[in-house]
Amino acid sequence: MKSLIKVIKENITNFYLIIRLSLFDLRSSNRNHYLGMLWEVINPMIQIGIYWFVFGFGIRGGRDVHGVAFLPWMLSGIVAWFFISQSLTTGSKSIYSRLNIIAKMNFPMSVIPTFVLFSKFYQHLVLLVTIIIILAFNGYTPVIQFLQLPYIIFANFIFLFSISLVTSTLATIIRDVQMIIQAIVRVLLYLTPILWTPDNLPPNVITLLKVNPIYYITEGYRAALLGTEWYFIDHGLYTIYFWVLIFILFLVGSILHIKFKDRFVDYI
């Protein structure tokens, strides 16, 4: 618990530094592009168009999903996925890719995964606003269930930070971990009901799929953006499981990070 508390204190104390570093990271990643931040919307929209054509028309034949047109249903879930996939890959290499800088500067290393996630979070917010506008044009304007959106965004960020603490430490020690993370991310898109529905699967298989916390997050986004239910209340046991898992990941990540942080520079 001491490691977990120390990581939390480091991030709270250095929150201003996190914001500055995240903004700098965001600007540096887009400085060579004429359209800048627009690419953070253009690229996902191109992928969304392809997924809509392949899965919405090619596979589903334009059929609705529980009374919701496929495009709004897909948009409300995939907006979370773009943030998750980018954060999992960049978060895992956040420390070792900056080891040369770490050796020259003096600040808590636990803030590195945080500011990297924040730089992706800004992009997520831009895409999220874009998706909300598209949903509004399709008849899905914000309703009372929309108020749960801040909760699910927070849950998403804490999940990504917790797992990044684990993967960034392991990837610094064993670089092959980064390749494993990339492979897992590619598979997770198709193991999570983002582009398809699990309606025809046996109940025990659906339960197995729900072990994946990304399932909880994407369905939470859908419930908020489409106004279908209060997801964290209507699925109370699943919510408890999610936060217990997050606590375990956070605890393990904090212990690993505190244990190895003084030796990170040895891996330059």
Side-chain angles (χ1 to χ4, degrees), residues 49 66 112 151 205 253:
H66 305 301
I112 297 175
Y151 159 77
V205 175

Side-chain angles (χ1 to χ4, degrees), residues 2-268:
K2 289 182 179 179
S3 299
L4 186 148
I5 294 172
K6 185 174 183 179
V7 168
I8 293 174
K9 285 183 177 179
E10 287 178 350
N11 279 268
I12 293 175
T13 304
N14 294 277
F15 186 72
Y16 178 69
L17 175 64
I18 290 170
I19 298 300
R20 290 189 61 186
L21 289 173
S22 63
L23 290 172
F24 174 79
D25 192 63
L26 179 64
R27 287 193 296 267
S28 62
S29 63
N30 289 286
R31 64 186 175 187
N32 294 324
H33 303 144
Y34 287 112
L35 297 180
M37 278 286 292
L38 281 177
W39 281 112
E40 306 304 332
V41 175
I42 295 172
N43 275 330
M45 286 302 169
I46 292 173
Q47 295 181 56
I48 286 170
I50 295 171
Y51 293 145
W52 181 32
F53 178 76
V54 173
F55 289 89
F57 287 99
I59 295 178
R60 292 191 60 85
R63 297 192 306 274
D64 293 348
V65 181
H66 305 301
V68 178
F70 181 79
L71 180 60
W73 180 85
M74 182 186 70
L75 285 173
S76 58
I78 205 168
V79 65
W81 170 252
F82 285 121
F83 180 39
I84 292 169
S85 60
Q86 291 175 355
S87 298
L88 287 177
T89 53
T90 57
S92 61
K93 63 180 180 181
S94 59
I95 292 179
Y96 82 73
S97 63
R98 294 168 174 80
L99 284 177
N100 289 323
I101 300 175
I102 292 171
K104 301 173 184 177
M105 299 180 67
N106 183 25
F107 59 82
M109 294 186 189
S110 65
V111 307
I112 297 175
T114 311
F115 85 72
V116 170
L117 292 182
F118 258 100
S119 69
K120 299 300 177 185
F121 181 65
Y122 303 138
Q123 301 169 14
H124 174 59
L125 291 180
V126 172
L127 182 60
L128 181 59
V129 170
T130 304
I131 296 296
I132 290 173
I133 294 172
I134 294 174
L135 290 175
F137 277 105
N138 282 269
Y140 295 93
T141 53
V143 292
I144 188 65
Q145 288 84 358
F146 189 81
L147 294 175
Q148 67 189 309
L149 186 60
Y151 159 77
I152 198 65
I153 292 174
F154 174 76
N156 192 9
F157 192 92
I158 295 299
F159 160 68
L160 292 171
F161 175 66
S162 301
I163 201 166
S164 292
L165 273 178
V166 177
T167 58
S168 62
T169 301
L170 295 178
T172 302
I173 301 169
I174 307 170
R175 299 298 166 81
D176 289 353
V177 170
Q178 174 63 23
M179 302 304 296
I180 295 172
I181 295 298
Q182 291 177 2
I184 291 174
V185 168
R186 285 193 291 268
V187 172
L188 281 175
L189 174 61
Y190 302 102
L191 288 180
T192 309
I194 297 172
L195 303 172
W196 56 277
T197 61
D199 298 341
N200 297 324
L201 296 177
N204 58 332
V205 175
I206 295 177
T207 301
L208 184 61
L209 288 175
K210 287 184 176 181
V211 172
N212 173 11
I214 299 175
Y215 189 112
Y216 178 87
I217 293 168
T218 54
E219 289 302 309
Y221 270 80
R222 281 199 176 107
L225 294 175
L226 299 177
T228 55
E229 60 182 336
W230 292 100
Y231 195 78
F232 68 100
I233 296 175
D234 295 341
H235 302 269
L237 288 177
Y238 196 20
T239 298
I240 293 172
Y241 160 78
F242 175 83
W243 284 109
V244 169
L245 179 62
I246 296 308
F247 176 78
I248 293 172
L249 285 172
F250 203 160
L251 181 61
V252 172
S254 300
I255 293 172
L256 286 173
H257 180 84
I258 296 300
K259 181 177 181 179
F260 290 101
K261 69 174 185 175
D262 292 333
R263 288 184 274 172
F264 284 156
V265 292
D266 296 336
Y267 297 96
I268 297 179

